[in-house]
Amino acid sequence: MSGDLVLGIDCSTTSAKAVVWDMAGRSVAMGRTTFGHASPQPGWGEQDPTLWWRSTVEAIGQACRQIDPARLAAMSITHQRETFACLDGAGHALRPALLWLDTRAALEVQEHGSEEVHRITGKPPNTATSWYKMLWLRAHEPRTMDSAVHVADVHTYLVHRLTGEWTSSWGSVDPLGVLDLRDFTLDDGLIDQAGLTRDHFPQIHAPGEVIGALSARAADQLGLRRDLPVVAGLGDGQAAGLGVGITRPGDAYLNLGTGIVSGTYSAEYRADRAFRTMSGGVPRTYLIETFFGGGTYNINWFVDNFSDIRANAFGLDLSPERILEAAAASLPAGAEGLLALPYLTGVLTPHWDSAARGTLFGLSPRHGKAHVYRAILEGLAMEQRVSTRAAEAAMGVEAERFLVMGGGSQSPLWCQVMADVFDRPVEVAREAEATCLGAGMLAAVAAGLYASVEEAVAGMSGTGRVYEPDRSQCAKYDRLFGVYSDLYPVLARNFSDLREVMREIA
């Protein structure tokens, strides 16, 4: 293959990004386009799949107008996981795609979630896993399932639009919950329970394999050369781990995005309720992953609905988040007695409770916007500590440091709070778009620009600023954590009761 640059595409919950990378892992050009999603009912999340394609086309155009496209050697995709669409034979959506954050399948989780399903897929029963939402569709929208010719995650959908082929990566199909992770093959039993067959799903390949070439139609639309290799990618969490260099035991990554994902490398398959097991960026390896959906989603929700601060307010060239961060940074640890459970979209690891909801605990007349903002940042850090402790206890291994990326890594206050809550160093990835970089690494290997994924990681990743824990703050957060960690066990029954009451009175 010719060319000395690669293209990484990240189609997330809220935007499509396209980044052109050189072989030192430097961003040469970037494009980004945002899009939204709908919530027709409380707890639901849906999206028009055509938004994925239109936004990806625009992002690629923005990026590739800044370079000579002939220099591109290959392209690969990372994406929001668990989100899927039911399509007809022409690839048109029969209904809006169901998002990973959609919790409508809570009853299906109760009825069909089992130790056996967990053992096969590596995913404890939870509403994020797509298989349960397929069961919901089978029960509530049987005509959709009967009419579906293809069931496609975001990667599969985009690869089809790029190449015309129904083919994908097992790293992208894995989050759907229909893969036997012990041998990375589709599980006929799970597929049959949803009333589907293997033919509904794409042909799957190892991450980093060439799975198609840019069709003439797509190439002309994108302004790229025909037959540009398209390389099997990964879900965003797995790609993020690859982008910061998690290819061996000992380090943990922390992706501070819409959802917060943390993971460590494992060469062996393990299943435990303290984490979910995902296929890794290095083929036939695994990521031991903690995840909760309400990461920066909690922050954006508060800023958009309650901050009443406009961009460039007070004549400052600052976002509302940066203004609130400056105010919150002046407050002491604990936000003067305010704690926040960041469960706007329920909680996954380690509680696996879709009924859980966001909670402010300790409100008093003293508290204002800055207190709530700081409490949310601290709540997210302490919730990650809950998940990390549980996963480390199950694995018998502790991470010595956290490699941080994602939009939240641009917040000095949040990174320092993380270091103080964990009592471990937090190192910010050199490249903020580490998720997209993970896709670029796979493209570089497939193009022959690196001999292996491990070599690509060594050549293209790196870290920047390091936040060391402040021992005096660590002691304070230890005390606060004792209170915080008791809140969910006390409220769990109340969350469940509230959901049942709301079902009855709706």
Side-chain angles (χ1 to χ4, degrees):
M1 300 177 187
S2 60
D4 64 331
L5 303 174
V6 291
L7 178 62
I9 298 162
D10 178 9
C11 189
S12 71
T13 314
T14 57
S15 68
K17 285 169 278 191
V19 183
V20 178
W21 303 100
D22 68 13
M23 292 307 99
R26 292 185 296 252
S27 171
V28 174
M30 184 172 72
R32 182 175 185 269
T33 303
T34 61
F35 50 85
H37 67 272
S39 182
Q41 295 188 35
W44 291 23
E46 299 183 347
Q47 206 162 50
D48 179 357
T50 62
L51 293 175
W52 308 336
W53 176 243
R54 290 204 301 266
S55 299
T56 296
V57 169
E58 186 171 342
I60 291 174
Q62 292 173 14
C64 292
R65 282 192 291 271
Q66 303 172 50
I67 63 163
D68 175 4
R71 295 179 63 190
L72 291 176
M75 64 191 299
S76 187
I77 298 166
T78 182
H79 56 97
Q80 54 170 308
R81 298 180 290 181
E82 287 99 11
T83 295
F84 72 97
C86 295
L87 311 171
D88 65 17
H92 300 134
L94 297 170
R95 67 171 326 282
L98 272 63
L99 296 180
W100 59 270
L101 53 76
D102 188 296
T103 61
R104 74 182 69 189
L107 289 179
E108 282 69 25
V109 171
Q110 293 176 18
E111 293 174 2
H112 300 282
S114 67
E115 291 185 8
E116 176 66 7
V117 173
H118 182 189
R119 183 183 63 81
I120 293 169
T121 66
K123 319 292 185 290
N126 72 95
T127 56
T129 302
S130 316
W131 182 67
Y132 297 100
K133 288 189 271 280
M134 294 177 199
L135 297 176
W136 186 94
L137 287 172
R138 174 57 63 189
H140 296 274
E141 297 183 18
R143 292 181 60 184
T144 296
M145 296 297 274
D146 289 341
S147 300
V149 177
H150 302 284
V151 176
D153 61 277
V154 179
H155 183 278
T156 300
Y157 181 88
L158 291 178
V159 167
H160 175 70
R161 296 298 296 259
L162 291 166
T163 69
E165 304 292 334
W166 292 105
T167 185
S168 190
S169 160
W170 70 49
S172 296
V173 174
D174 167 28
L176 296 181
V178 295
L179 208 66
D180 187 330
L181 266 194
R182 295 165 297 186
D183 58 8
F184 304 96
T185 60
L186 291 167
D187 186 88
D188 290 319
L190 294 174
I191 291 171
D192 182 67
Q193 278 189 257
L196 301 169
T197 70
R198 283 190 176 218
D199 291 340
H200 286 93
F201 296 90
Q203 293 293 315
I204 55 175
H205 301 265
E209 288 187 6
V210 175
I211 55 174
L214 208 58
S215 68
R217 180 178 180 180
D220 292 344
Q221 186 173 359
L222 295 169
L224 303 179
R225 67 178 174 88
R226 299 181 182 188
D227 296 327
L228 181 70
V230 177
V231 177
L234 292 162
D236 50 12
Q238 301 122 293
L242 200 61
V244 296
I246 305 297
T247 59
R248 57 189 181 278
D251 291 335
Y253 73 88
L254 187 59
N255 190 2
L256 303 178
T258 306
I260 294 182
V261 183
S262 180
T264 56
Y265 170 92
S266 177
E268 298 178 353
Y269 180 66
R270 296 279 300 274
D272 192 279
R273 285 189 59 83
F275 51 78
R276 61 182 191 179
T277 309
M278 311 295 291
S279 56
V282 177
R284 299 193 179 279
T285 68
Y286 303 92
L287 284 177
I288 304 303
E289 189 177 275
T290 68
F291 175 59
F292 55 100
T296 58
Y297 187 87
N298 285 275
I299 298 168
N300 296 337
W301 165 82
F302 173 69
V303 170
D304 293 344
N305 292 286
F306 299 103
S307 74
D308 197 29
I309 299 175
R310 300 184 305 275
N312 303 316
F314 313 113
L316 300 173
D317 185 22
L318 297 173
S319 67
E321 289 83 357
R322 290 188 64 188
I323 292 171
L324 284 164
E325 172 151 339
S330 67
L331 296 172
E336 297 188 312
L338 186 62
L339 297 177
L341 289 178
Y343 297 160
L344 289 187
T345 59
V347 60
L348 297 178
T349 54
H351 304 306
W352 305 105
D353 185 356
S354 62
R357 286 295 176 262
T359 304
L360 289 175
F361 178 76
L363 273 172
S364 76
R366 184 177 184 82
H367 296 132
K369 296 171 185 175
H371 293 84
V372 176
Y373 192 81
R374 182 171 185 120
I376 291 172
L377 296 183
E378 292 178 335
L380 290 167
M382 287 191 277
E383 188 61 31
Q384 183 59 52
R385 178 170 166 176
V386 171
S387 289
T388 296
R389 277 190 166 185
E392 289 178 340
M395 291 294 293
V397 178
E398 288 191 5
E400 297 179 359
R401 60 173 182 161
F402 287 88
L403 300 165
V404 179
M405 84 291 285
S409 67
Q410 305 305 301
S411 166
L413 174 59
W414 199 6
C415 289
Q416 187 60 56
V417 167
M418 288 282 187
D420 295 340
V421 169
F422 297 154
D423 193 10
R424 302 180 209 178
V426 167
E427 299 186 23
V428 178
R430 182 185 66 198
E431 176 49 60
E433 299 297 341
T435 302
C436 223
L437 178 57
M441 290 172 176
L442 293 174
V445 174
L449 298 171
Y450 280 101
S452 68
V453 173
E454 291 87 347
E455 287 189 18
V457 166
M460 297 176 74
S461 65
T463 57
R465 181 172 178 180
V466 179
Y467 292 85
E468 296 288 349
D470 180 327
R471 301 302 177 191
S472 64
Q473 295 294 94
C474 292
K476 295 175 183 177
Y477 281 120
D478 271 344
R479 297 285 301 279
L480 289 164
F481 183 73
V483 178
Y484 179 90
S485 59
D486 285 341
L487 291 178
Y488 172 78
V490 170
L491 293 173
R493 180 174 177 178
N494 300 101
F495 288 139
S496 179
D497 290 345
L498 177 61
R499 180 166 67 181
E500 292 306 313
V501 168
M502 293 310 299
R503 282 176 178 164
E504 293 169 3
I505 68 175

